[in-house]
Amino acid sequence: MEQAFWVQSPGTGQLREEVLPEPGPDDVLVRTLYSGVSRGTETLVFRGGVPASQHDVMRAPFQEGEFAGPVKYGYLNVGVVERGPAHLAGKTVFCLYPHQTAYVVPAAAVTPVPDAVPAGRAILAGTVETAVNAVWDARPRLGDRIAVIGAGMVGCSVAKLLSGFPATRVQLIDVDESKAEIADALGVGFSTPGEALGDCDLVVHASASEAGLARALELLAPAGEVLELSWYGDRRVSVPLGENFHSRRLVIRSSQVGTVARPDRSYAQRLGVALDLLADPAFEALVSAECMFEDLPSVLPQLVANELSALCLRVMYQPQ
């Protein structure tokens, strides 16, 4: 009998037994090796903070149940194909599946992990895919002065990708000075909001805070742009559009992973780009805590309460 993690009610999780269907000829049976907890989105789901108007938008591809619970939610899963088409049998694959010991999905729903990417790091594919989409939306130019506000999983990934553009100045900004260590591991400059360099052509905002959005506008050069990546859930946010917002011709634009930002790329191609990027060991810095699958019901409340500091929580299904 397999097991899955469910949010039973806001703030409470439990493991439930799951009966798997018999795989069809076009299905795969995947045995999970690792899954990842995306701190921002999944803690929002765990505390019951998804607004009713966004229930359909926020659904994960293989979600069961409904917000605010009981619901089986998650989308960072890496496992090994135990049964399936010959070209996938025995392969390590990534899937947008919740936290579950094994599962059956259509073969088209899994993506093989490149040989150069360790299975434990491949759980970051969903996060790096969001960052790839954000960079496509941002359209950085040679020599741009860039800031990324919010050193969470997505903000760190975006900063890492943007730092690869020639002659750009990229600074990762966060109120938590301990994030400087992660920025250093990613090869990106770090600053607190008060010390951040201004006159930016582009600011990517990913802190999900009013203060962060206000600081993003302050850091812009005339005609600069804020790319808003934050997900605020059920919170209302004030945007400072007075003072010199109009005279400086500033821009705020949204970005999110639900739509591929390039019309010449598919969802599968975007995910493939993200997985290829994860061959860089620097991304390992985003995994800052681990737990065993059976401990999820006790660990997630700690994550929500900030008793456990983690960008990405890696969940292990076999003893290491």
Side-chain angles (χ1 to χ4, degrees):
M1 186 71 69
E2 306 303 334
Q3 288 189 309
F5 175 77
W6 284 71
V7 178
Q8 185 62 23
S9 60
T12 303
Q14 67 174 200
L15 300 183
R16 290 188 183 184
E17 292 188 343
E18 299 278 343
V19 178
L20 301 186
E22 184 67 19
D26 297 321
D27 294 333
V28 288
L29 168 61
V30 179
R31 175 70 52 187
T32 303
L33 297 174
Y34 302 94
S35 62
V37 175
S38 173
R39 179 170 188 145
T41 303
E42 290 199 57
T43 55
L44 185 75
V45 171
F46 188 75
R47 67 175 177 83
V50 180
S53 64
Q54 297 299 302
H55 281 191
D56 289 339
V57 175
M58 286 284 291
R59 285 195 69 86
F62 294 101
Q63 173 181 327
E64 293 183 34
E66 303 295 334
F67 303 118
V71 61
K72 182 171 73 175
Y73 191 87
Y75 48 84
L76 302 174
N77 190 299
V78 174
V80 174
V81 176
E82 290 191 337
R83 291 175 59 184
H87 70 285
L88 289 173
K91 295 282 189 181
T92 299
V93 295
F94 175 84
C95 185
L96 298 169
Y97 204 86
H99 310 283
Q100 186 164 310
T101 54
Y103 52 92
V104 174
V105 294
V110 302
T111 302
V113 174
D115 292 340
V117 180
R121 193 186 305 153
I123 59 170
L124 297 169
T127 301
V128 176
E129 184 183 10
T130 301
V132 168
N133 211 56
V135 173
W136 284 348
D137 266 329
R139 299 189 295 271
R141 297 163 299 182
L142 187 71
D144 269 359
R145 298 154 298 185
I146 303 172
V148 179
I149 297 180
M153 286 178 66
V154 172
C156 285
S157 298
V158 171
K160 170 63 177 171
L161 298 188
L162 288 172
S163 67
F165 282 79
T168 54
R169 184 193 78 192
V170 180
Q171 194 166 46
L172 183 60
I173 300 168
D174 200 278
V175 294
D176 182 357
E177 295 186 29
S178 69
K179 296 291 181 68
E181 184 176 346
I182 296 172
D184 184 61
L186 295 171
V188 179
F190 178 83
S191 176
T192 59
E195 301 297 321
L197 300 173
D199 208 25
C200 294
D201 304 291
L202 168 69
V203 178
V204 179
H205 179 234
S207 80
S209 69
E210 283 190 10
L213 181 54
R215 188 61 177 142
L217 289 169
E218 292 170 354
L219 292 176
L220 287 178
E225 178 175 293
V226 170
L227 189 73
E228 178 58 274
L229 270 178
S230 298
W231 171 248
Y232 295 95
D234 54 358
R235 291 180 290 130
R236 289 184 174 271
V237 177
S238 297
V239 184
L241 301 182
E243 300 181 356
N244 57 7
F245 176 81
H246 291 282
S247 64
R248 296 176 66 218
R249 301 185 63 79
L250 304 182
V251 175
I252 302 175
R253 194 156 57 88
S254 67
S255 176
Q256 55 85 40
V257 75
T259 301
V260 180
R262 288 182 56 168
D264 60 336
R265 296 291 189 273
S266 67
Y267 285 97
Q269 288 172 322
R270 185 178 66 183
L271 180 57
V273 170
L275 281 165
D276 286 341
L277 287 165
L278 284 169
D280 187 340
F283 282 103
E284 193 70 30
L286 301 185
V287 180
S288 49
E290 294 180 328
C291 76
M292 296 302 297
F293 168 72
E294 56 266 27
D295 296 327
L296 262 180
S298 61
V299 171
L300 264 183
Q302 298 176 46
L303 199 63
V304 172
N306 289 319
E307 296 171 3
L308 177 66
S309 177
L311 289 178
C312 178
L313 172 67
R314 180 157 55 203
V315 182
M316 300 177 292
Y317 289 71
Q318 301 173 10
Q320 301 299 299

